[in-house]
mmCIF file of all heavy atoms in Angstrom:
data_model
loop_
_atom_site.group_PDB
_atom_site.id
_atom_site.type_symbol
_atom_site.label_atom_id
_atom_site.label_comp_id
_atom_site.label_asym_id
_atom_site.label_seq_id
_atom_site.Cartn_x
_atom_site.Cartn_y
_atom_site.Cartn_z
ATOM 1 N N ASP A 1 -13.609 20.636 -27.932
ATOM 2 C CA ASP A 1 -14.790 19.819 -28.451
ATOM 3 C C ASP A 1 -15.460 18.983 -27.181
ATOM 4 O O ASP A 1 -16.440 18.204 -27.375
ATOM 5 C CB ASP A 1 -14.441 18.822 -29.550
ATOM 6 C CG ASP A 1 -13.284 17.905 -29.238
ATOM 7 O OD1 ASP A 1 -12.790 18.111 -28.153
ATOM 8 O OD2 ASP A 1 -12.940 17.079 -30.051
ATOM 9 N N ASN A 2 -14.943 18.997 -25.963
ATOM 10 C CA ASN A 2 -15.338 18.335 -24.923
ATOM 11 C C ASN A 2 -15.063 19.119 -23.600
ATOM 12 O O ASN A 2 -14.482 18.441 -22.680
ATOM 13 C CB ASN A 2 -14.772 16.915 -24.947
ATOM 14 C CG ASN A 2 -15.320 16.036 -23.790
ATOM 15 O OD1 ASN A 2 -16.510 16.146 -23.493
ATOM 16 N ND2 ASN A 2 -14.451 15.135 -23.216
ATOM 17 N N ARG A 3 -15.470 20.270 -23.675
ATOM 18 C CA ARG A 3 -15.165 21.155 -22.504
ATOM 19 C C ARG A 3 -15.957 20.848 -21.226
ATOM 20 O O ARG A 3 -17.212 20.679 -21.316
ATOM 21 C CB ARG A 3 -15.222 22.641 -22.926
ATOM 22 C CG ARG A 3 -14.601 23.618 -21.958
ATOM 23 C CD ARG A 3 -14.000 24.668 -22.623
ATOM 24 N NE ARG A 3 -12.862 24.349 -23.511
ATOM 25 C CZ ARG A 3 -12.312 25.119 -24.219
ATOM 26 N NH1 ARG A 3 -12.770 26.296 -24.519
ATOM 27 N NH2 ARG A 3 -11.263 24.756 -25.020
ATOM 28 N N LYS A 4 -15.426 20.745 -20.113
ATOM 29 C CA LYS A 4 -16.159 20.670 -18.859
ATOM 30 C C LYS A 4 -16.395 22.001 -18.130
ATOM 31 O O LYS A 4 -15.317 22.817 -18.215
ATOM 32 C CB LYS A 4 -15.308 19.670 -17.805
ATOM 33 C CG LYS A 4 -15.073 18.332 -18.498
ATOM 34 C CD LYS A 4 -16.325 17.522 -18.825
ATOM 35 C CE LYS A 4 -15.965 16.142 -19.237
ATOM 36 N NZ LYS A 4 -17.283 15.359 -19.551
ATOM 37 N N LYS A 5 -17.537 22.170 -17.700
ATOM 38 C CA LYS A 5 -17.743 23.594 -17.121
ATOM 39 C C LYS A 5 -18.414 23.338 -15.678
ATOM 40 O O LYS A 5 -19.265 22.456 -15.461
ATOM 41 C CB LYS A 5 -18.744 24.272 -18.041
ATOM 42 C CG LYS A 5 -18.266 24.580 -19.521
ATOM 43 C CD LYS A 5 -19.148 25.411 -20.263
ATOM 44 C CE LYS A 5 -18.614 25.728 -21.548
ATOM 45 N NZ LYS A 5 -19.389 26.683 -22.345
ATOM 46 N N ARG A 6 -17.879 24.212 -14.793
ATOM 47 C CA ARG A 6 -18.591 24.262 -13.448
ATOM 48 C C ARG A 6 -18.490 25.698 -12.908
ATOM 49 O O ARG A 6 -17.624 26.542 -13.442
ATOM 50 C CB ARG A 6 -17.884 23.295 -12.625
ATOM 51 C CG ARG A 6 -16.320 23.522 -12.532
ATOM 52 C CD ARG A 6 -15.765 22.334 -11.536
ATOM 53 N NE ARG A 6 -14.387 22.311 -11.622
ATOM 54 C CZ ARG A 6 -13.488 21.619 -10.657
ATOM 55 N NH1 ARG A 6 -14.189 21.103 -9.747
ATOM 56 N NH2 ARG A 6 -12.267 21.623 -10.831
ATOM 57 N N LEU A 7 -19.407 26.065 -11.952
ATOM 58 C CA LEU A 7 -19.414 27.247 -11.416
ATOM 59 C C LEU A 7 -18.294 27.396 -10.467
ATOM 60 O O LEU A 7 -18.019 26.517 -9.752
ATOM 61 C CB LEU A 7 -20.801 27.601 -10.679
ATOM 62 C CG LEU A 7 -21.972 27.788 -11.537
ATOM 63 C CD1 LEU A 7 -23.101 28.134 -10.752
ATOM 64 C CD2 LEU A 7 -21.824 28.584 -12.775
ATOM 65 N N ALA A 8 -17.651 28.668 -10.483
ATOM 66 C CA ALA A 8 -16.716 28.992 -9.449
ATOM 67 C C ALA A 8 -16.751 30.451 -8.916
ATOM 68 O O ALA A 8 -17.424 31.252 -9.673
ATOM 69 C CB ALA A 8 -15.157 28.861 -10.120
ATOM 70 N N ILE A 9 -16.118 30.777 -7.747
ATOM 71 C CA ILE A 9 -16.276 32.117 -7.312
ATOM 72 C C ILE A 9 -14.941 32.432 -6.811
ATOM 73 O O ILE A 9 -14.147 31.589 -6.420
ATOM 74 C CB ILE A 9 -17.365 32.076 -6.134
ATOM 75 C CG1 ILE A 9 -17.654 33.568 -5.777
ATOM 76 C CG2 ILE A 9 -17.022 31.217 -4.853
ATOM 77 C CD1 ILE A 9 -18.785 33.752 -4.797
ATOM 78 N N MET A 10 -14.488 33.632 -6.980
ATOM 79 C CA MET A 10 -13.241 34.183 -6.597
ATOM 80 C C MET A 10 -13.293 35.639 -6.247
ATOM 81 O O MET A 10 -14.278 36.305 -6.327
ATOM 82 C CB MET A 10 -12.198 33.923 -7.641
ATOM 83 C CG MET A 10 -12.585 34.825 -8.840
ATOM 84 S SD MET A 10 -11.538 34.538 -10.286
ATOM 85 C CE MET A 10 -12.103 35.753 -11.467
ATOM 86 N N ASP A 11 -12.135 36.235 -5.432
ATOM 87 C CA ASP A 11 -12.153 37.539 -5.251
ATOM 88 C C ASP A 11 -12.035 38.271 -6.638
ATOM 89 O O ASP A 11 -11.614 37.673 -7.634
ATOM 90 C CB ASP A 11 -10.898 38.002 -4.477
ATOM 91 C CG ASP A 11 -11.104 37.401 -2.972
ATOM 92 O OD1 ASP A 11 -12.108 36.931 -2.566
ATOM 93 O OD2 ASP A 11 -10.044 37.441 -2.272
ATOM 94 N N TYR A 12 -12.283 39.478 -6.815
ATOM 95 C CA TYR A 12 -12.260 40.264 -7.990
ATOM 96 C C TYR A 12 -10.994 40.106 -8.678
ATOM 97 O O TYR A 12 -10.758 40.184 -9.975
ATOM 98 C CB TYR A 12 -12.582 41.768 -7.824
ATOM 99 C CG TYR A 12 -11.410 42.666 -7.709
ATOM 100 C CD1 TYR A 12 -10.907 43.379 -8.775
ATOM 101 C CD2 TYR A 12 -10.588 42.601 -6.642
ATOM 102 C CE1 TYR A 12 -9.684 44.104 -8.680
ATOM 103 C CE2 TYR A 12 -9.419 43.411 -6.512
ATOM 104 C CZ TYR A 12 -9.015 44.119 -7.596
ATOM 105 O OH TYR A 12 -7.935 44.968 -7.409
ATOM 106 N N ASP A 13 -9.702 39.853 -7.920
ATOM 107 C CA ASP A 13 -8.514 39.768 -8.595
ATOM 108 C C ASP A 13 -7.875 38.355 -8.694
ATOM 109 O O ASP A 13 -6.907 38.035 -9.128
ATOM 110 C CB ASP A 13 -7.509 40.518 -7.643
ATOM 111 C CG ASP A 13 -7.407 40.061 -6.267
ATOM 112 O OD1 ASP A 13 -8.204 39.005 -5.916
ATOM 113 O OD2 ASP A 13 -6.593 40.562 -5.511
ATOM 114 N N GLY A 14 -8.947 37.364 -8.621
ATOM 115 C CA GLY A 14 -8.641 35.967 -8.885
ATOM 116 C C GLY A 14 -8.162 35.222 -7.699
ATOM 117 O O GLY A 14 -7.956 33.989 -7.765
ATOM 118 N N ALA A 15 -8.028 35.695 -6.537
ATOM 119 C CA ALA A 15 -7.584 35.084 -5.428
ATOM 120 C C ALA A 15 -8.764 34.416 -4.697
ATOM 121 O O ALA A 15 -9.921 34.651 -5.030
ATOM 122 C CB ALA A 15 -7.034 36.057 -4.314
ATOM 123 N N ASN A 16 -8.490 33.276 -3.880
ATOM 124 C CA ASN A 16 -9.452 32.648 -3.126
ATOM 125 C C ASN A 16 -10.490 31.998 -3.983
ATOM 126 O O ASN A 16 -11.709 32.017 -3.653
ATOM 127 C CB ASN A 16 -10.161 33.647 -2.025
ATOM 128 C CG ASN A 16 -9.239 34.131 -1.069
ATOM 129 O OD1 ASN A 16 -8.471 33.337 -0.450
ATOM 130 N ND2 ASN A 16 -9.438 35.329 -0.447
ATOM 131 N N ASN A 17 -10.053 31.286 -4.973
ATOM 132 C CA ASN A 17 -10.953 30.632 -6.007
ATOM 133 C C ASN A 17 -11.664 29.406 -5.267
ATOM 134 O O ASN A 17 -10.929 28.664 -4.554
ATOM 135 C CB ASN A 17 -10.194 30.138 -7.082
ATOM 136 C CG ASN A 17 -11.139 29.636 -8.205
ATOM 137 O OD1 ASN A 17 -11.706 30.446 -8.897
ATOM 138 N ND2 ASN A 17 -11.303 28.341 -8.317
ATOM 139 N N GLN A 18 -12.917 29.245 -5.363
ATOM 140 C CA GLN A 18 -13.689 28.100 -4.825
ATOM 141 C C GLN A 18 -14.785 27.530 -5.884
ATOM 142 O O GLN A 18 -15.232 28.488 -6.702
ATOM 143 C CB GLN A 18 -14.474 28.450 -3.704
ATOM 144 C CG GLN A 18 -13.675 28.862 -2.386
ATOM 145 C CD GLN A 18 -14.543 29.283 -1.297
ATOM 146 O OE1 GLN A 18 -15.074 30.425 -1.262
ATOM 147 N NE2 GLN A 18 -14.979 28.510 -0.422
ATOM 148 N N PHE A 19 -14.836 26.340 -5.994
ATOM 149 C CA PHE A 19 -15.892 25.718 -6.939
ATOM 150 C C PHE A 19 -17.187 25.467 -6.293
ATOM 151 O O PHE A 19 -17.259 25.019 -5.209
ATOM 152 C CB PHE A 19 -15.376 24.412 -7.549
ATOM 153 C CG PHE A 19 -14.134 24.642 -8.449
ATOM 154 C CD1 PHE A 19 -12.771 24.143 -7.944
ATOM 155 C CD2 PHE A 19 -14.129 25.214 -9.654
ATOM 156 C CE1 PHE A 19 -11.802 24.394 -8.695
ATOM 157 C CE2 PHE A 19 -13.021 25.388 -10.468
ATOM 158 C CZ PHE A 19 -11.873 24.959 -10.075
ATOM 159 N N LEU A 20 -18.206 25.951 -7.025
ATOM 160 C CA LEU A 20 -19.662 25.769 -6.416
ATOM 161 C C LEU A 20 -20.351 24.596 -6.972
ATOM 162 O O LEU A 20 -21.401 24.247 -6.312
ATOM 163 C CB LEU A 20 -20.448 27.141 -6.676
ATOM 164 C CG LEU A 20 -19.701 28.440 -6.160
ATOM 165 C CD1 LEU A 20 -20.559 29.609 -6.594
ATOM 166 C CD2 LEU A 20 -19.531 28.262 -4.687
ATOM 167 N N THR A 21 -20.111 24.119 -8.215
ATOM 168 C CA THR A 21 -20.632 22.962 -8.656
ATOM 169 C C THR A 21 -19.625 22.022 -9.231
ATOM 170 O O THR A 21 -18.473 22.509 -9.445
ATOM 171 C CB THR A 21 -21.589 23.263 -9.788
ATOM 172 O OG1 THR A 21 -20.944 23.856 -10.915
ATOM 173 C CG2 THR A 21 -22.719 24.254 -9.247
ATOM 174 N N ASP A 22 -20.081 20.800 -9.530
ATOM 175 C CA ASP A 22 -19.091 19.842 -10.262
ATOM 176 C C ASP A 22 -19.289 20.001 -11.738
ATOM 177 O O ASP A 22 -20.036 20.934 -12.326
ATOM 178 C CB ASP A 22 -19.123 18.528 -9.838
ATOM 179 C CG ASP A 22 -20.685 17.796 -10.069
ATOM 180 O OD1 ASP A 22 -21.386 18.442 -10.976
ATOM 181 O OD2 ASP A 22 -21.183 16.922 -9.373
ATOM 182 N N SER A 23 -18.512 19.213 -12.595
ATOM 183 C CA SER A 23 -18.707 19.493 -13.970
ATOM 184 C C SER A 23 -19.492 18.316 -14.709
ATOM 185 O O SER A 23 -19.282 18.033 -15.834
ATOM 186 C CB SER A 23 -17.195 19.245 -14.606
ATOM 187 O OG SER A 23 -16.545 18.024 -14.187
ATOM 188 N N SER A 24 -20.483 17.753 -13.857
ATOM 189 C CA SER A 24 -21.297 16.717 -14.534
ATOM 190 C C SER A 24 -22.338 17.178 -15.488
ATOM 191 O O SER A 24 -22.879 16.362 -16.225
ATOM 192 C CB SER A 24 -22.031 15.897 -13.272
ATOM 193 O OG SER A 24 -22.822 16.773 -12.553
ATOM 194 N N ALA A 25 -22.636 18.543 -15.499
ATOM 195 C CA ALA A 25 -23.621 19.056 -16.329
ATOM 196 C C ALA A 25 -23.156 20.290 -16.752
ATOM 197 O O ALA A 25 -22.493 21.182 -16.116
ATOM 198 C CB ALA A 25 -25.027 19.197 -15.714
ATOM 199 N N ILE A 26 -23.454 20.851 -17.956
ATOM 200 C CA ILE A 26 -23.129 22.280 -18.518
ATOM 201 C C ILE A 26 -23.907 23.307 -17.683
ATOM 202 O O ILE A 26 -24.985 23.150 -17.511
ATOM 203 C CB ILE A 26 -23.452 22.300 -20.015
ATOM 204 C CG1 ILE A 26 -22.687 21.307 -20.922
ATOM 205 C CG2 ILE A 26 -23.327 23.719 -20.541
ATOM 206 C CD1 ILE A 26 -23.031 21.239 -22.270
ATOM 207 N N VAL A 27 -23.062 24.228 -17.407
ATOM 208 C CA VAL A 27 -23.623 25.463 -16.571
ATOM 209 C C VAL A 27 -23.354 26.735 -17.360
ATOM 210 O O VAL A 27 -22.327 26.742 -17.974
ATOM 211 C CB VAL A 27 -23.185 25.554 -15.217
ATOM 212 C CG1 VAL A 27 -23.627 24.384 -14.332
ATOM 213 C CG2 VAL A 27 -21.574 25.661 -15.096
ATOM 214 N N LEU A 28 -24.227 27.678 -17.298
ATOM 215 C CA LEU A 28 -24.172 28.941 -18.137
ATOM 216 C C LEU A 28 -24.622 30.061 -17.219
ATOM 217 O O LEU A 28 -25.397 29.931 -16.446
ATOM 218 C CB LEU A 28 -24.987 28.815 -19.407
ATOM 219 C CG LEU A 28 -24.728 27.678 -20.350
ATOM 220 C CD1 LEU A 28 -25.791 27.712 -21.424
ATOM 221 C CD2 LEU A 28 -23.330 27.915 -21.077
ATOM 222 N N ALA A 29 -24.017 31.287 -17.697
ATOM 223 C CA ALA A 29 -24.596 32.575 -17.236
ATOM 224 C C ALA A 29 -24.940 32.670 -15.737
ATOM 225 O O ALA A 29 -26.072 32.894 -15.366
ATOM 226 C CB ALA A 29 -25.850 32.864 -18.103
ATOM 227 N N PRO A 30 -23.939 32.453 -14.790
ATOM 228 C CA PRO A 30 -24.221 32.765 -13.442
ATOM 229 C C PRO A 30 -24.395 34.277 -13.182
ATOM 230 O O PRO A 30 -23.755 35.088 -13.818
ATOM 231 C CB PRO A 30 -23.036 32.354 -12.628
ATOM 232 C CG PRO A 30 -21.895 32.406 -13.654
ATOM 233 C CD PRO A 30 -22.645 32.104 -14.982
ATOM 234 N N ARG A 31 -25.306 34.692 -12.353
ATOM 235 C CA ARG A 31 -25.671 36.008 -12.042
ATOM 236 C C ARG A 31 -25.819 36.335 -10.541
ATOM 237 O O ARG A 31 -26.621 35.580 -9.955
ATOM 238 C CB ARG A 31 -26.893 36.538 -12.821
ATOM 239 C CG ARG A 31 -26.683 36.436 -14.326
ATOM 240 C CD ARG A 31 -25.898 37.446 -14.956
ATOM 241 N NE ARG A 31 -25.718 37.239 -16.358
ATOM 242 C CZ ARG A 31 -24.706 36.735 -17.062
ATOM 243 N NH1 ARG A 31 -23.774 36.206 -16.390
ATOM 244 N NH2 ARG A 31 -24.728 36.546 -18.354
ATOM 245 N N PHE A 32 -25.115 37.231 -9.940
ATOM 246 C CA PHE A 32 -25.321 37.538 -8.473
ATOM 247 C C PHE A 32 -26.582 38.187 -8.222
ATOM 248 O O PHE A 32 -27.221 39.012 -8.973
ATOM 249 C CB PHE A 32 -24.087 38.445 -8.066
ATOM 250 C CG PHE A 32 -22.979 37.700 -7.572
ATOM 251 C CD1 PHE A 32 -21.793 37.755 -8.124
ATOM 252 C CD2 PHE A 32 -23.098 37.034 -6.324
ATOM 253 C CE1 PHE A 32 -20.521 37.197 -7.701
ATOM 254 C CE2 PHE A 32 -21.984 36.372 -5.803
ATOM 255 C CZ PHE A 32 -20.707 36.417 -6.482
ATOM 256 N N SER A 33 -27.096 37.907 -6.971
ATOM 257 C CA SER A 33 -28.150 38.762 -6.460
ATOM 258 C C SER A 33 -27.669 40.011 -6.059
ATOM 259 O O SER A 33 -26.514 40.291 -5.887
ATOM 260 C CB SER A 33 -28.801 37.992 -5.303
ATOM 261 O OG SER A 33 -27.900 38.006 -4.244
ATOM 262 N N PRO A 34 -28.635 41.006 -5.842
ATOM 263 C CA PRO A 34 -28.255 42.409 -5.435
ATOM 264 C C PRO A 34 -27.468 42.351 -4.121
ATOM 265 O O PRO A 34 -26.677 43.374 -3.904
ATOM 266 C CB PRO A 34 -29.581 43.127 -5.282
ATOM 267 C CG PRO A 34 -30.377 42.480 -6.163
ATOM 268 C CD PRO A 34 -30.109 40.991 -6.081
ATOM 269 N N THR A 35 -27.707 41.416 -3.178
ATOM 270 C CA THR A 35 -26.924 41.358 -1.900
ATOM 271 C C THR A 35 -25.778 40.507 -1.930
ATOM 272 O O THR A 35 -25.078 40.347 -1.028
ATOM 273 C CB THR A 35 -27.922 40.964 -0.844
ATOM 274 O OG1 THR A 35 -28.558 39.668 -1.295
ATOM 275 C CG2 THR A 35 -28.945 41.979 -0.587
ATOM 276 N N GLY A 36 -25.457 39.834 -3.162
ATOM 277 C CA GLY A 36 -24.379 38.949 -3.254
ATOM 278 C C GLY A 36 -24.316 37.755 -2.626
ATOM 279 O O GLY A 36 -23.326 36.906 -2.486
ATOM 280 N N ASP A 37 -25.392 37.218 -2.034
ATOM 281 C CA ASP A 37 -25.501 35.994 -1.224
ATOM 282 C C ASP A 37 -26.155 34.778 -2.030
ATOM 283 O O ASP A 37 -26.090 33.647 -1.576
ATOM 284 C CB ASP A 37 -26.346 36.209 0.030
ATOM 285 C CG ASP A 37 -27.826 36.700 -0.275
ATOM 286 O OD1 ASP A 37 -28.028 37.153 -1.306
ATOM 287 O OD2 ASP A 37 -28.656 36.490 0.651
ATOM 288 N N ARG A 38 -26.664 35.184 -3.137
ATOM 289 C CA ARG A 38 -27.240 34.102 -4.129
ATOM 290 C C ARG A 38 -26.761 34.359 -5.541
ATOM 291 O O ARG A 38 -26.371 35.358 -5.946
ATOM 292 C CB ARG A 38 -28.790 34.216 -4.113
ATOM 293 C CG ARG A 38 -29.382 33.807 -2.709
ATOM 294 C CD ARG A 38 -30.921 34.097 -2.714
ATOM 295 N NE ARG A 38 -31.106 35.435 -2.812
ATOM 296 C CZ ARG A 38 -32.398 36.036 -3.182
ATOM 297 N NH1 ARG A 38 -33.351 35.179 -3.496
ATOM 298 N NH2 ARG A 38 -32.495 37.370 -3.212
ATOM 299 N N VAL A 39 -26.802 33.205 -6.304
ATOM 300 C CA VAL A 39 -26.382 33.142 -7.631
ATOM 301 C C VAL A 39 -27.553 32.452 -8.473
ATOM 302 O O VAL A 39 -27.964 31.413 -8.144
ATOM 303 C CB VAL A 39 -25.013 32.485 -7.848
ATOM 304 C CG1 VAL A 39 -24.846 32.230 -9.275
ATOM 305 C CG2 VAL A 39 -23.802 33.348 -7.095
ATOM 306 N N LEU A 40 -27.900 33.180 -9.567
ATOM 307 C CA LEU A 40 -28.802 32.446 -10.570
ATOM 308 C C LEU A 40 -27.810 31.810 -11.599
ATOM 309 O O LEU A 40 -26.777 32.469 -11.923
ATOM 310 C CB LEU A 40 -29.658 33.537 -11.164
ATOM 311 C CG LEU A 40 -30.813 33.982 -10.423
ATOM 312 C CD1 LEU A 40 -31.483 35.238 -11.195
ATOM 313 C CD2 LEU A 40 -31.951 33.025 -10.255
ATOM 314 N N TYR A 41 -28.221 30.712 -12.164
ATOM 315 C CA TYR A 41 -27.420 30.115 -13.215
ATOM 316 C C TYR A 41 -28.375 29.049 -14.019
ATOM 317 O O TYR A 41 -29.415 28.777 -13.622
ATOM 318 C CB TYR A 41 -26.206 29.551 -12.751
ATOM 319 C CG TYR A 41 -26.392 28.240 -12.120
ATOM 320 C CD1 TYR A 41 -26.272 26.973 -12.684
ATOM 321 C CD2 TYR A 41 -26.617 28.176 -10.630
ATOM 322 C CE1 TYR A 41 -26.339 25.767 -11.975
ATOM 323 C CE2 TYR A 41 -26.745 27.080 -9.968
ATOM 324 C CZ TYR A 41 -26.547 25.782 -10.575
ATOM 325 O OH TYR A 41 -26.726 24.767 -9.998
ATOM 326 N N THR A 42 -27.897 28.815 -15.255
ATOM 327 C CA THR A 42 -28.637 27.834 -16.019
ATOM 328 C C THR A 42 -27.866 26.568 -16.119
ATOM 329 O O THR A 42 -26.685 26.571 -16.267
ATOM 330 C CB THR A 42 -28.887 28.481 -17.508
ATOM 331 O OG1 THR A 42 -29.512 29.659 -17.564
ATOM 332 C CG2 THR A 42 -29.641 27.517 -18.363
ATOM 333 N N SER A 43 -28.661 25.570 -15.920
ATOM 334 C CA SER A 43 -27.939 24.122 -15.940
ATOM 335 C C SER A 43 -28.643 23.172 -16.931
ATOM 336 O O SER A 43 -29.867 23.304 -17.039
ATOM 337 C CB SER A 43 -27.836 23.552 -14.608
ATOM 338 O OG SER A 43 -27.398 22.194 -14.610
ATOM 339 N N TYR A 44 -27.962 22.428 -17.651
ATOM 340 C CA TYR A 44 -28.636 21.316 -18.521
ATOM 341 C C TYR A 44 -28.602 19.961 -17.881
ATOM 342 O O TYR A 44 -28.659 18.893 -18.604
ATOM 343 C CB TYR A 44 -27.673 21.293 -19.836
ATOM 344 C CG TYR A 44 -28.036 22.344 -20.757
ATOM 345 C CD1 TYR A 44 -27.563 23.615 -20.664
ATOM 346 C CD2 TYR A 44 -28.702 22.103 -21.911
ATOM 347 C CE1 TYR A 44 -27.790 24.610 -21.555
ATOM 348 C CE2 TYR A 44 -29.021 23.162 -22.945
ATOM 349 C CZ TYR A 44 -28.570 24.344 -22.631
ATOM 350 O OH TYR A 44 -28.808 25.324 -23.553
ATOM 351 N N GLU A 45 -28.527 19.843 -16.584
ATOM 352 C CA GLU A 45 -28.394 18.529 -15.898
ATOM 353 C C GLU A 45 -29.651 17.755 -16.224
ATOM 354 O O GLU A 45 -29.661 16.451 -16.035
ATOM 355 C CB GLU A 45 -28.251 18.675 -14.399
ATOM 356 C CG GLU A 45 -29.271 19.375 -13.533
ATOM 357 C CD GLU A 45 -28.922 19.401 -12.107
ATOM 358 O OE1 GLU A 45 -28.146 20.245 -11.831
ATOM 359 O OE2 GLU A 45 -29.467 18.726 -11.325
ATOM 360 N N THR A 46 -30.855 18.296 -16.520
ATOM 361 C CA THR A 46 -32.121 17.573 -16.916
ATOM 362 C C THR A 46 -32.184 17.267 -18.330
ATOM 363 O O THR A 46 -33.104 16.671 -18.759
ATOM 364 C CB THR A 46 -33.323 18.117 -16.329
ATOM 365 O OG1 THR A 46 -33.517 19.415 -17.085
ATOM 366 C CG2 THR A 46 -33.261 18.537 -14.923
#
């Protein structure tokens, strides 16, 4: 009932996990670009 959400990235097997955002706002549905260098996502920070 009070879940904190933030974007993270990792190797396909779960190794090398890194956080890309903090948990100050709800984030949803990250999507990679075709070249893997950018990520689209939805945020409720506003």
Side-chain angles (χ1 to χ4, degrees):
D1 59 352
N2 187 29
R3 191 145 295 171
K4 304 296 184 182
K5 299 187 176 185
R6 53 181 172 168
L7 293 189
I9 191 171
M10 64 184 183
D11 295 351
Y12 95 99
D13 57 358
N16 294 325
N17 190 79
Q18 297 175 277
F19 295 107
L20 301 176
T21 66
D22 59 27
S23 58
S24 59
I26 295 174
V27 292
L28 301 169
R31 302 289 182 256
F32 267 113
S33 68
T35 51
D37 60 339
R38 293 170 295 164
V39 170
L40 289 168
Y41 68 100
T42 302
S43 174
Y44 279 77
E45 64 182 72
T46 65

